[in-house]
Amino acid sequence: MTKTARETRRNDPGRTREDILDVATEEFAEFGLSGARVDSIAEKTRTSKRMIYYYYGSKEGLYLAVLEKAYRKIRTLEADLQLGELPPDEALRRLISTTFDHDEHNPDFVRLVSIENIHHAMHMKRSSEIADLNISVIRTLQDIVDRGLASGMFKRRADAIDVHMLISAFCFFRVSNRYTFGTIFKRDLSEPELYTRHKSMIADAVLGYLRSSEP
């Protein structure tokens, strides 16, 4: 590393940490928690294991920081949508579209969540930030459902977490199972026409559920 690069690292620790998280995201998504190597992350970021452990404490601490950043990204995207200014149905379509596109373009996020499920969310349970971050999308959905009910647009007093699960399940599945599903049914889920149809389909399904009467 050149003298200038070393000085840049020393003078901008925030940038260094972001670089480490970006590379660590790829490493953990590719190899999982057990297979990822801190040595490899250090080499690719031109840092050292000692520096990484100084910032994150351990390999598990770095992995948790990667998870937190991944959830922070999607929740920030949602917060920037200003959905409260839109009619309930338009707000819901925009939120679903954002989730759909995010998962498609961030397969590392899908892999990381799948990996953490293998570990029974044992690392996520240590993070108060992830729990706090995900409260926001539930509040947003509850506001959309409540406004839809008040206006008469929706008939079902749905649970916001159920709605979130319905949206997440479809968007997540398309990415997490794209290779197995695509192989079995001979379909490329990234094909533009299919992509557009699926995005419309999940929005129509969720809105149809909210517009239907209680059983």
Side-chain angles (χ1 to χ4, degrees):
M1 186 185 300
T2 66
K3 180 179 178 182
T4 301
R6 287 195 299 270
E7 288 176 348
T8 299
R9 292 282 190 186
R10 184 165 57 249
N11 295 332
D12 192 357
R15 174 62 181 274
T16 300
R17 294 184 68 161
E18 284 301 307
D19 288 346
I20 291 170
L21 287 177
D22 287 344
V23 172
T25 296
E26 296 176 1
E27 182 79 8
F28 286 123
E30 179 70 19
F31 301 106
L33 176 57
S34 58
R37 296 175 59 248
V38 177
D39 282 331
S40 176
I41 296 168
E43 180 181 353
K44 290 174 182 176
T45 54
R46 296 185 178 182
T47 55
S48 64
K49 287 178 69 174
R50 183 176 180 181
M51 178 179 287
I52 292 173
Y53 288 145
Y54 173 77
Y55 285 136
Y56 300 104
S58 64
K59 181 181 179 180
E60 288 74 17
L62 175 59
Y63 168 74
L64 181 56
V66 164
L67 277 176
E68 289 173 339
K69 181 180 179 181
Y71 275 99
R72 197 181 306 124
K73 179 179 180 179
I74 178 60
R75 299 290 89 97
T76 299
L77 285 174
E78 293 162 351
D80 290 343
L81 296 176
Q82 299 181 329
L83 300 177
E85 301 175 5
L86 298 174
D89 55 346
E90 291 182 27
L92 195 56
R93 283 191 181 277
R94 182 173 294 185
L95 179 62
I96 291 170
S97 178
T98 298
T99 303
F100 193 96
D101 290 339
H102 169 271
D103 287 3
E104 174 69 20
H105 299 303
N106 293 274
D108 283 353
F109 171 76
V110 174
R111 294 190 192 104
L112 287 167
V113 174
S114 298
I115 290 165
E116 185 59 7
N117 272 288
I118 292 172
H119 292 282
H120 305 287
M122 64 179 292
H123 304 93
M124 190 180 291
K125 290 173 184 175
R126 294 167 39 206
S127 173
S128 58
E129 181 179 359
I130 290 178
D132 291 342
L133 282 169
N134 286 284
I135 289 173
S136 62
V137 68
I138 302 307
R139 287 175 175 166
T140 296
L141 281 167
Q142 193 62 63
D143 176 70
I144 292 172
V145 170
D146 289 345
R147 289 193 294 116
L149 286 167
S151 68
M153 185 178 292
F154 300 156
K155 296 180 181 179
R156 184 181 295 270
R157 191 173 298 279
D159 180 274
I161 296 178
D162 286 349
V163 177
H164 177 57
M165 184 173 69
L166 179 59
I167 296 167
S168 298
F170 188 85
C171 297
F172 192 94
F173 179 93
R174 289 187 77 262
V175 180
S176 66
N177 290 51
R178 65 170 44 168
Y179 298 112
T180 53
F181 194 88
T183 298
I184 292 169
F185 296 105
K186 311 300 182 189
R187 288 196 171 185
D188 178 4
L189 298 185
S190 63
E191 194 276 324
E193 183 179 349
L194 191 59
Y195 185 90
T196 300
R197 185 167 84 236
H198 281 177
K199 186 189 289 190
S200 177
M201 186 169 75
I202 181 58
D204 290 344
V206 175
L207 283 168
Y209 174 71
L210 293 174
R211 287 168 173 158
S212 64
S213 301
E214 299 282 354

